[in-house]
Amino acid sequence: MTQLAPIDLRSDTVTQPDERMRLAMSAAEVGDDVLDHDPTMRELEERVAELLGLDAAIWMPTGSMGNLVALMLHLNRGDRFLAAESSHVLDSELGAPAWLAGGMPHALRWEGAPGRISPEAVRAAAGGGGPYFTLRTTLLCLENSHNAAGGTVVPPDEHAMLVSAARETGLRVHLDGARLWNASTALGVPPAALAVGVDSVQVSLSKGLGAPVGSVLASSTTFVEEARRVRKMLGGGVRQGGVLAAAGLVGLDRIEDLAQDHANAVALADGLGELGWTVRKPETNIVVAEVPDLEVTLAGLRHLSVFAGPMAGNVRFVTHRDVNSDDIAEALRRIASAS
């Protein structure tokens, strides 16, 4: 039997750096980032800060570290922070916000649509005054797009209302924008429009943009100076980091390419729907399908060399730059042949 070529839709983190990205990495101007601030790293950080409309930024090895550093700076030990249920900071970072940042997580229920929360819920959860032993709520964590909700996006007006509710109740705001580039592309607005009013934001370079590693945390100049100290404390200080930053710079040149990933996700969702699958129309590059038996479905897909992943009891497919429209058509053909 001929071995089928794999079609890997587990995540947009499985991408391989192409020739242009590898050449940029090999030719990068570098220096010791811990001692003198690597020049290519500095260029990347300044460019991301400008794209997000913030004063400064700092490269992080991972998005989880970016979120953790932000929470360590925003929270005092024992402070409560709010986040939409199934947010990455709640469910996918091994409890680090509680264990290392010392925060008490509080999940807000989705309202109206998957991944969405309301300003009223923020105000209610933030609470007010009380005796000295009252739990203090000091931070709201937003996520755009919301991974576990299927890549759903929060438009600028809703974002602004959530930030306003946080401000009214004395909360700071951190935005987990690991896929903010996708949200920006889907909505047709600049990334900065989705970061208005936040105290900090983390964006990923290793998901849809295709860099092999890296995220960036952006905020005020003072905050980023402190973040550099905490990153070093956590072991995240790198030396000739420009080799990695160069890949991120190439990725930033390709933000517009994400529109094709979104189109491929719609084609995949429509095709699965025609085959009888229960699928929501994707807003970005994540397709979530409800199935009667998750493990059996994933095993069947693996047998077809179509690779997907689990997400909250459903099957998650993620389109990315290493999977083109022909690959999507072939994946659907294979699934149809096994039906």
Side-chain angles (χ1 to χ4, degrees):
M1 178 179 177
T2 303
Q3 182 67 37
L4 295 171
I7 301 173
D8 197 342
L9 296 165
R10 290 173 297 166
S11 177
D12 44 11
T13 60
V14 302
T15 56
Q16 298 285 315
D18 62 12
E19 183 178 2
R20 178 189 168 194
M21 189 172 283
R22 291 176 187 270
L23 286 173
M25 294 171 73
S26 67
E29 181 185 359
V30 298
D32 190 321
D33 193 61
V34 174
L35 297 180
D36 303 315
H37 205 158
D38 178 284
T40 306
M41 194 75 85
R42 183 189 296 274
E43 180 185 353
L44 172 69
E45 291 165 349
E46 291 175 350
R47 186 170 171 191
V48 170
E50 182 178 3
L51 283 169
L52 297 175
L54 292 165
D55 294 334
I58 178 172
W59 182 90
M60 295 281 170
T62 69
S64 292
M65 182 180 283
N67 287 336
L68 175 60
V69 169
L71 267 63
M72 290 178 72
L73 291 174
H74 284 310
L75 297 169
N76 291 315
R77 297 190 70 82
D79 285 356
R80 183 170 67 160
F81 68 93
L82 311 177
E85 64 181 351
S86 302
S87 292
H88 201 276
V89 294
L90 298 181
D91 289 1
S92 300
E93 297 183 7
L94 288 86
W99 182 34
L100 297 176
M104 289 279 290
H106 180 84
L108 300 178
R109 291 182 178 179
W110 298 349
E111 295 185 42
R116 307 288 261 277
I117 58 175
S118 70
E120 292 73 23
V122 172
R123 294 187 186 95
Y132 76 93
F133 51 80
T134 301
L135 186 64
R136 295 186 304 179
T137 304
T138 61
L139 179 68
L140 171 65
C141 290
L142 302 175
E143 183 175 336
N144 199 11
S145 67
H146 193 298
N147 177 16
T152 56
V153 299
V154 177
D157 57 339
E158 289 189 27
H159 168 85
M161 288 189 290
L162 291 169
V163 171
S164 178
R167 293 286 178 247
E168 290 171 16
T169 50
L171 304 184
R172 292 180 290 275
V173 181
H174 171 66
L175 171 60
D176 177 1
R179 292 185 173 87
L180 193 71
W181 316 120
N182 291 92
S184 167
T185 300
L187 293 166
V189 300
L194 301 178
V196 171
V198 304
D199 296 282
S200 58
V201 54
Q202 177 269 128
V203 290
S204 176
L205 305 167
S206 62
K207 292 187 169 67
L209 301 190
V213 62
S215 288
V216 178
L217 176 64
S219 185
S220 67
T221 300
T222 301
F223 188 95
V224 167
E225 288 173 353
E226 287 301 304
R228 192 170 298 279
R229 295 182 69 253
V230 177
R231 183 187 70 175
K232 175 67 172 172
M233 185 187 306
L234 295 173
V238 297
R239 300 298 178 175
Q240 286 70 37
V243 173
L244 301 172
L249 286 167
V250 173
L252 292 176
D253 290 338
R254 298 170 167 176
I255 292 175
E256 293 182 357
D257 292 353
L258 296 173
Q260 184 59 54
D261 296 343
H262 298 176
N264 288 338
V266 171
L268 177 61
D270 288 348
L272 291 172
E274 291 171 4
L275 294 174
W277 291 52
T278 303
V279 186
R280 292 195 307 268
K281 184 174 182 177
E283 296 182 17
T284 51
N285 67 322
I286 299 175
V287 177
V288 176
E290 299 177 20
V291 294
D293 191 316
L294 177 61
E295 294 305 320
V296 168
T297 302
L298 290 175
L301 289 169
R302 286 195 297 271
H303 181 72
L304 300 171
S305 289
V306 176
F307 298 97
M311 176 63 75
N314 300 316
V315 176
R316 187 186 78 153
F317 303 87
V318 185
T319 56
H320 51 79
R321 63 179 303 105
D322 284 4
V323 173
N324 59 34
S325 57
D326 290 340
D327 295 320
I328 297 300
E330 172 62 14
L332 290 168
R333 188 196 66 75
R334 294 179 192 179
I335 294 169
S337 69
S339 299

